[in-house]
Amino acid sequence: MSRYLIQGGRVIDPANNIDDTLDVLIENGKIEAVGKHLAADAEVIDASGMIVAPGLVDMHVHLRDPGRTDEETVETGLRAAAKGGFTSIACMPNTDPVTDSASVVEYIQRQAKDAGFGNVFPIGAITHGLAGERLSEMGELIQAGAVGFSDDGKCVMNSQLMRRALEYTRMWGKPVISHAEDELLARNGQINEGYWSTVLGLKGIPSAAEEVIIARDIILAELTGGKLHIAHLSTAGSLDLVKRAKEHGVNVTCEVTPHHLILTDENLQGYDTNFKVNPPLRTAADIEALRKGLKDGIIDAIASDHAPHARHEKEMEFDYAPFGMIGLETTLGLILTELVDGGVLSLGGAIAKMSAGPSRILGIPKGSLGIGGDADLIVIDTNAILEVSANKFESKSINSPYVGRTLKGVVKDVFTAGEPVIKDKVFVDSYGEKRFSRVVL
Ligand code: DOR
Ligand code: ZN
């Protein structure tokens, strides 16, 4: 095992209330020391003028492995994550087969270990096969390593099942992650219901489809004492519900995506299916409310909802294209460019929402530079410019609405478990003893 001294950077570690110019010493895969002018017989990484932060944590990622490895594999997903500064990701169970058994959880973990770029924390299905009919074997899933439960992509419409899921998972303190979408209110909807759905002639998904389920789940969390987490919260009304629930002491947390903080339904004017996402892009008023919710601390985490889709499937008539956009490689840049430079969040506040925040929700020992912890760490060059380009993605898919944009902030170095994955903006190819080259379709 090697030793690395990350020298002279501005260390921002919200979990430990640190924001100062410091050195970080990594040894044997762990954080050995954080302090001023550390001296050690170690390889030195110059971080002067840079930000040193805990490896980021993305709690909402779709890897298409097993099932659709043409769109993403655990390995390519981890590579995309590393490029975006994420050393830990939680992956949603809407795979094929569904992540509703120990064997699928173990398969994903094995793939992650073989790839070696970072940590993957599988999320198990709430219901068997995501069919919404009976609970999955939750105990077995937890034993195999599942960190939470969700039927993401689908809503658990059966309130009794949702109640049981919250009750049952309470024993282990694991979160139930709600994809809040009333199926009947949202049926056949393509974009947010409002002015633009009328103008564009596309069927709308009303805010109410999300809000009625959030209200229900909050009531069920209160009834059961279960741990509820709201995925990709997208409307002002949803935020208000979570705010009031928190004020009443309900055990509820929530996340927002960069796209719901930056894009609106007005972006659908060109019928570009890369903007088709679920929940749909909402209005400027919703964005304003969500940004305030972040500032006020009601929103606990920022997550990408990285959802890779094959090009030939996205290039369909709007109604037939699948929902989702990739996000692992653009989330940090978007947040730095739009929210930090935009004065909504401090740099420390933004990093907290992508490290300590999600780690706390999932109960994983990540998102911190605490002494003795795993040395997952990133060095960010906040002045470097990232040009978002379709042929530069590490992800196997390119369904991003941000292609052509320039973002501020590039991840210069990435360490996972004390070993470099990216050094000076270049992947360390020997990492994990695997080489990979991406084929652009
Ligand atoms: O846009 C989305 N895509 N929203 C979801 O809830 C699921 C995801 C996917 O799996 O593609
Ligand atoms: Zn979802």
Side-chain angles (χ1 to χ4, degrees):
M1 278 278 186
S2 350
R3 296 168 112 196
Y4 298 92
L5 184 63
I6 293 98
Q7 217 168 36
R10 178 178 163 198
V11 176
I12 300 183
D13 179 17
N16 295 295
N17 275 318
I18 291 172
D19 185 346
D20 201 355
T21 303
L22 297 166
D23 301 337
V24 181
L25 179 64
I26 297 176
E27 198 178 324
N28 291 332
K30 303 286 179 192
I31 305 283
E32 180 70 18
V34 179
K36 295 256 182 215
H37 313 298
L38 298 179
D41 179 20
E43 185 177 333
V44 172
I45 310 283
D46 179 17
S48 49
M50 308 280 157
I51 303 297
V52 177
L56 302 178
V57 178
D58 190 343
M59 67 175 299
H60 193 143
V61 172
H62 296 271
L63 300 173
R64 304 300 193 195
D65 193 358
R68 284 301 302 268
T69 49
D70 59 312
E71 295 180 329
E72 199 79 284
T73 65
V74 173
E75 185 183 0
T76 59
L78 274 173
R79 228 178 133 94
K83 192 174 162 204
F86 295 97
T87 53
S88 292
I89 57 179
C91 59
M92 287 297 172
N94 62 339
T95 47
D96 185 10
V98 168
T99 312
D100 61 3
S101 68
S103 61
V104 179
V105 171
E106 283 157 10
Y107 164 82
I108 293 168
Q109 287 170 332
R110 202 161 47 243
Q111 296 297 310
K113 205 159 171 244
D114 286 353
F117 298 114
N119 312 289
V120 176
F121 295 92
I123 290 167
I126 296 173
T127 70
H128 186 77
L130 304 180
E133 284 162 10
R134 63 181 167 92
L135 290 184
S136 63
E137 296 291 342
M138 290 178 152
E140 177 193 307
L141 285 162
I142 289 170
Q143 215 157 27
V147 294
F149 293 92
S150 184
D151 272 7
D152 186 58
K154 278 177 146 187
C155 184
V156 177
M157 285 304 294
N158 181 327
S159 304
Q160 172 71 337
L161 268 181
M162 195 62 174
R163 174 194 178 162
R164 294 287 177 234
L166 283 160
E167 242 162 28
Y168 204 42
T169 50
R170 197 187 144 186
M171 283 197 286
W172 295 283
K174 302 287 180 199
V176 173
I177 302 171
S178 172
H179 171 106
E181 180 189 15
D182 185 290
E183 269 175 15
L184 292 171
L185 282 173
R187 187 142 77 180
N188 299 328
Q190 301 296 319
I191 67 168
N192 180 51
E193 180 178 297
Y195 175 83
W196 285 106
S197 64
T198 308
V199 169
L200 300 173
L202 294 168
K203 183 153 185 330
I205 302 171
S207 295
E210 177 172 316
E211 292 157 6
V212 293
I213 298 296
I214 293 181
R216 178 201 72 171
D217 289 349
I218 285 169
I219 290 166
L220 293 175
E222 199 168 12
L223 173 69
T224 59
K227 188 171 175 179
L228 173 67
H229 176 74
I230 307 296
H232 43 50
L233 181 145
S234 75
T235 79
S238 297
L239 186 78
D240 193 44
L241 287 164
V242 171
K243 179 171 185 275
R244 283 192 279 157
K246 285 188 168 191
E247 283 163 4
H248 279 90
V250 180
N251 196 353
V252 58
T253 51
C254 68
E255 78 196 23
V256 284
T257 68
H259 45 277
H260 291 117
L261 290 163
I262 292 164
L263 305 172
T264 68
D265 51 358
E266 199 178 337
N267 289 106
L268 272 315
Q269 277 179 86
Y271 295 91
D272 181 346
T273 58
N274 286 324
F275 290 88
K276 180 176 175 179
V277 67
N278 190 15
L281 302 175
R282 304 288 188 182
T283 67
D286 292 302
I287 285 188
E288 203 184 314
L290 297 191
R291 289 182 172 206
K292 187 167 181 303
L294 262 179
K295 220 175 177 157
D296 296 347
I298 297 157
I299 294 165
D300 304 273
I302 296 171
S304 72
D305 196 1
H306 179 81
H309 285 290
R311 195 163 162 175
H312 67 276
E313 286 171 16
K314 269 293 192 183
E315 282 178 357
M316 293 274 240
E317 293 88 330
F318 200 90
D319 283 17
Y320 296 107
F323 291 95
M325 54 177 75
I326 58 169
L328 280 168
E329 295 168 68
T330 48
T331 291
L332 177 63
L334 286 165
I335 297 302
L336 292 177
T337 308
E338 298 273 342
L339 298 195
V340 176
D341 282 4
V344 177
L345 284 176
S346 66
L347 198 46
I351 289 169
K353 299 295 171 197
M354 294 185 279
S355 57
S359 302
R360 189 171 39 81
I361 296 165
L362 296 174
I364 56 174
K366 296 291 178 187
S368 153
L369 294 177
I371 310 294
D374 293 339
D376 297 350
L377 168 154
I378 59 173
V379 180
I380 312 166
D381 182 348
T382 49
N383 291 316
I385 300 293
L386 175 80
E387 285 175 20
V388 185
S389 148
N391 56 18
K392 285 193 186 145
F393 286 122
E394 294 294 333
S395 171
K396 263 194 166 183
S397 294
I398 57 170
N399 54 305
S400 167
Y402 305 111
V403 169
R405 279 211 196 199
T406 50
L407 303 174
K408 223 177 114 183
V410 174
V411 178
K412 180 180 158 290
D413 306 287
V414 177
F415 284 82
T416 299
E419 294 298 326
V421 173
I422 293 175
K423 240 179 168 176
D424 229 347
K425 302 178 187 172
V426 178
F427 272 94
V428 178
D429 277 327
S430 63
Y431 196 86
E433 290 164 1
K434 271 198 174 184
R435 294 183 80 90
F436 169 78
S437 66
R438 186 171 172 277
V439 182
V440 180
L441 293 171

